[in-house]
Amino acid sequence: MSTPDAPLPDAWFTRDLPVLRAIARLVDGPEHGGAPYLLGAVVPASGLQKAEVVSAAKALAAAGYIEPLTNHAGDIVRITAISAEARRLAGLWPTPQGEWDRLLEQVEARAANAPTDVERQRWRALADAAAAVGPDAGALLMQSLIGGYVPRRR
């Protein structure tokens, strides 16, 4: 039994995120017409128990991550859509941090595999400069690129 002032146990990583990922896969795929049934499709796809999936779906709907279709009793029957943020959290769409990491991996790989010493030095310099920028500023840059906004010089 927990005390009233103790933090609640994690529900995001152990319940809600796995259910969101299962929903995202199902909504994004053609098998269920983009609107999977909660009990018939999401429960088996998540690998969690029915009660956990129902609780997660309620939490995800309340947070605006999913758009549920409910019955007259208010129970979630199907998931009709997911938000853009849900797509990012599930990994369907890029995040600035993830894209920065991918950029660093690409630059490192090109530095390691460049065919000439001159190219290798140039890629190595770019890799060193990108690492010096750091993940925070790098993620801000990638956020601008993903969003389609790159500041222009005036």
Side-chain angles (χ1 to χ4, degrees), residues 94-143:
T95 62
Q97 295 82 3
E99 291 306 294
W100 180 249
D101 291 341
R102 284 176 34 145
L103 176 72
L104 291 177
E105 288 173 12
Q106 281 295 311
V107 172
E108 289 288 341
R110 290 179 186 267
N113 300 316
T116 67
D117 286 339
V118 171
E119 288 180 83
R120 193 172 303 109
Q121 289 170 357
R122 289 178 181 159
W123 284 112
R124 175 78 302 179
L126 180 58
D128 293 343
V133 165
D136 295 335
L140 287 173
L141 172 66
M142 297 313 287
Q143 180 177 358

Side-chain angles (χ1 to χ4, degrees), residues 5-113:
D5 59 341
L8 296 172
D10 170 62
W12 176 250
F13 290 106
T14 59
R15 184 192 73 192
D16 298 351
L17 184 57
V19 170
L20 179 62
R21 286 182 174 149
I23 290 170
R25 280 191 299 274
L26 295 168
V27 166
D28 202 54
E31 299 85 24
H32 303 281
Y37 284 97
L38 186 66
L39 300 182
V42 178
V43 169
S46 72
L48 298 173
Q49 299 295 315
K50 174 185 167 185
E52 290 179 296
V53 173
V54 169
S55 294
K58 288 178 183 178
L60 294 168
Y65 291 127
I66 64 171
E67 291 183 26
L69 178 67
T70 59
N71 61 17
H72 292 296
D75 299 324
I76 298 173
V77 178
R78 294 184 92 158
I79 311 302
T80 59
I82 59 175
S83 70
E85 183 61 19
R87 289 181 175 281
R88 284 182 199 79
L89 290 169
L92 293 174
W93 283 3
T95 62
Q97 295 82 3
E99 291 306 294
W100 180 249
D101 291 341
R102 284 176 34 145
L103 176 72
L104 291 177
E105 288 173 12
Q106 281 295 311
V107 172
E108 289 288 341
R110 290 179 186 267
N113 300 316

Side-chain angles (χ1 to χ4, degrees), residues 149-154:
Y149 173 74
V150 178
R152 304 284 186 229
R153 216 171 177 197
R154 294 183 189 227

